[in-house]
Amino acid sequence: MMTLKKLAKLARGAVFAGTAVLGLGSAQAALPIQHWTLANGAKIYLVATNALPIVDVQVDFDAGSRRDPAPQAGLASVTSAMVEKGVRAGKNGEPALDQNALGEAWADLGASFDVSAGTDRMSYSLRTLSDPALLGKAVALASREIGEPSFPDDVWLRERERINAAIKEANTKPATIAGRAFAQDVYGAHPYGQEITEETLARIDTATMRQRYQALIVPCRAKLSIVGAVTRAEAESVATTLLSRLPAADSCAPLPAIAPVAALAAPKDERIPFDSAQAHVFIGQPGYPRKDPDHFALNLGNYVLGGGGFVSRLTNEVREKRGLTYSIYSGFAPGLDAGAFRIGFQTRPDQAEEAVKMSREVLAKFVAEGPTESELKAAKDNLIGGFPLLLDSNRKLIGNVANIAWHDLPLDYLDTWTTRMNAVTAAEVKAAFARKLQPERMVTVVVGGK
């Protein structure tokens, strides 16, 4: 029998071999996204494709780090890690399983299951063969990890010591110090600026994890993205089973609103001495939420500014012409709220001021003038030409479908992607950057030198 590992190696080309590519000018979606809501309130997004006998599932909840209490920053991250450390005895009489037993069970099925937490969401990812017998067993085991995590105290005590040591080690690195200072300066008191520390870690115990889990991981708030060789009826069965061991919520009232990221009122320059061969530099500000209509224009513009590697303006001016850094980039990180815009690079401490000055000048000129027509065309050619590579496997496709689900994007988002990207004008890029970025009010953090 073909194993999941062997099939994964075939996945890159097989999606195209069996189906037309999404979003490349087809009049109708080659792999349309089906969407419906279960009786328990969970929202399902399905792309059914028989290119490979594989099923990928991602289940997302609004339980990322933005929901962490400030005194317990890092709670989402450690909770997600602990979900995979064991399950308690099941409600259907199944025995409890520790981390080793879970690993062996997944290996026997030839499937994989992962849990992670980001800024906005906690995500559960399942990959399995679509053979009914294997699929059913994999979904049943995943449902136990989702609905019956044991959060073992002894394991947490060991994990907390390991994480604490990792935090101490990270705190000796200039990149960690620069990133923390930048986040705090850009986000202020907003949860996006929180990160785990030795102090917040010490306040987290398994009781806190269980309380958080019970409050946030409920079926009515789930968004499930499914890609693979399943029918709609099979997908509904998969979704229902995955959530079946979670307690039903008494109500599904909206979670408390989180105040938006505040705009910067004034610039802030922070210089942090650090004995290192390279100074670490970040320049930036709050950016934009993912649903912002300027998304396409900002992506194209950023490719020209600093996202296009060796063809970007920042690389040309700061690296190529002046030799001030080996690598420099710019980028937006949009989320449910305004993730940061950031320019980042490393340079010799004695060159830091010159590199900062030049980077600011390149940014200010780009915001004021926008891209040239030739720059915009080159950006479109690269991004549009690379678009099929974003969809050439089940794993990549599930990421795109989950992105659509999480951010409530149109179901035809992938089909219209190329057309919308092509339609952006240089004037629209300039206007979008002028709306979003204020170079005169940005945060600058330099860690390194005296």
Side-chain angles (χ1 to χ4, degrees):
M1 182 180 68
M2 182 72 77
T3 66
L4 182 60
K5 185 175 181 180
K6 290 179 180 178
L7 282 168
K9 293 180 179 179
L10 303 175
R12 183 173 180 83
V15 170
F16 292 126
T19 59
V21 182
L22 280 165
L24 298 183
S26 57
Q28 186 174 357
L31 296 175
I33 299 175
Q34 303 177 56
H35 171 51
W36 69 98
T37 302
L38 297 180
N40 61 14
K43 295 178 171 56
I44 314 301
Y45 297 76
L46 167 67
V47 172
T49 169
N50 292 314
L52 288 170
I54 292 176
V55 179
D56 282 286
V57 184
Q58 182 167 321
V59 188
D60 292 320
F61 294 88
D62 184 352
S65 62
R66 74 191 193 117
R67 295 286 175 190
D68 289 351
Q72 295 169 313
L75 179 57
S77 175
V78 299
T79 299
S80 68
M82 284 296 294
V83 168
E84 298 186 78
K85 303 303 182 185
V87 296
R88 60 182 183 269
K91 65 180 183 181
N92 297 326
E94 304 97 334
L97 300 173
D98 63 14
Q99 183 180 6
N100 291 332
L102 279 174
E104 292 173 359
W106 285 115
D108 289 343
L109 291 171
S112 63
F113 182 81
D114 299 291
V115 189
S116 62
T119 305
D120 291 328
R121 51 183 155 168
M122 184 176 288
S123 303
Y124 304 79
S125 300
L126 169 66
R127 163 167 274 211
T128 178
L129 293 170
S130 59
D131 174 83
L134 292 174
L135 176 62
K137 292 177 180 178
V139 170
L141 183 57
S143 74
R144 291 196 66 191
E145 287 207 47
I146 294 173
E148 297 168 346
S150 57
F151 297 113
D153 288 307
D154 59 335
V155 174
W156 171 237
L157 292 177
R158 294 196 302 269
E159 281 294 295
R160 186 161 61 185
E161 288 301 312
R162 182 189 64 79
I163 296 168
N164 199 60
I167 292 172
K168 289 180 178 179
E169 171 67 17
N171 287 339
T172 67
K173 300 181 183 301
T176 301
I177 297 169
R180 180 184 301 133
F182 179 79
Q184 291 173 349
D185 291 345
V186 168
Y187 294 120
H190 191 277
Y192 275 10
Q194 297 176 177
E195 69 172 61
I196 192 169
T197 66
E198 294 173 72
E199 292 73 26
T200 66
L201 179 66
R203 300 187 186 103
I204 298 173
D205 56 21
T206 55
T208 309
M209 296 180 200
R210 293 186 185 95
Q211 292 168 1
R212 185 187 201 278
Y213 208 84
Q214 185 175 11
L216 298 178
I217 309 302
V218 293
C220 61
R221 296 198 180 101
K223 289 189 174 182
L224 294 94
S225 304
I226 304 173
V227 172
V230 289
T231 65
R232 173 167 172 153
E234 290 168 336
E236 178 147 348
S237 176
V238 165
T240 301
T241 301
L242 284 174
L243 302 176
S244 63
R245 296 175 189 253
L246 287 170
D250 295 332
S251 65
C252 205
L255 290 171
I258 295 174
V261 175
L264 299 179
K268 181 171 184 178
D269 282 13
E270 189 166 1
R271 302 295 193 270
I272 302 174
F274 196 96
D275 184 14
S276 59
Q278 293 280 296
H280 291 248
V281 181
F282 292 129
I283 304 169
Q285 65 165 87
Y288 68 96
R290 179 59 184 80
K291 291 184 68 174
D292 193 293
D294 284 336
H295 176 73
F296 285 89
L298 292 167
N299 265 264
L300 278 167
N302 184 66
Y303 183 90
V304 176
L305 173 62
F310 285 103
V311 300
S312 71
R313 286 195 189 183
L314 283 168
T315 297
N316 185 53
E317 295 294 334
V318 182
R319 172 192 156 127
E320 297 298 320
K321 289 185 178 181
R322 295 168 178 84
L324 296 173
T325 182
Y326 180 77
S327 176
I328 185 170
Y329 67 90
S330 68
F332 292 92
L336 291 180
D337 210 322
F341 166 80
R342 180 192 315 235
I343 294 173
F345 61 90
Q346 297 175 41
T347 187
R348 286 201 335 247
D350 62 301
Q351 295 179 329
E353 292 305 321
E354 183 183 359
V356 167
K357 179 176 179 292
M358 181 50 56
S359 300
R360 286 171 168 169
E361 289 178 2
V362 173
L363 172 63
K365 181 177 180 180
F366 186 80
V367 173
E369 300 176 0
T372 65
E373 291 295 340
S374 61
E375 286 176 325
L376 183 63
K377 182 180 184 304
K380 288 182 178 181
D381 289 346
N382 183 278
L383 294 177
I384 293 173
F387 181 66
L389 299 179
L390 303 178
L391 304 169
D392 64 356
S393 70
N394 262 36
R395 194 178 298 280
K396 292 180 183 178
L397 191 52
I398 189 71
N400 278 281
V401 174
N403 180 57
I404 290 169
W406 185 249
H407 293 288
D408 293 321
L409 302 176
L411 295 183
D412 66 351
Y413 175 80
L414 295 175
D415 300 281
T416 61
W417 190 95
T418 298
T419 300
R420 295 181 67 183
M421 191 68 83
N422 254 327
V424 176
T425 67
E428 288 171 337
V429 172
K430 176 185 174 182
F433 269 75
R435 283 191 288 269
K436 297 300 184 295
L437 299 185
Q438 298 78 44
E440 73 283 358
R441 295 207 302 267
M442 287 192 175
V443 164
T444 302
V445 174
V446 180
V447 176
K450 299 179 181 180

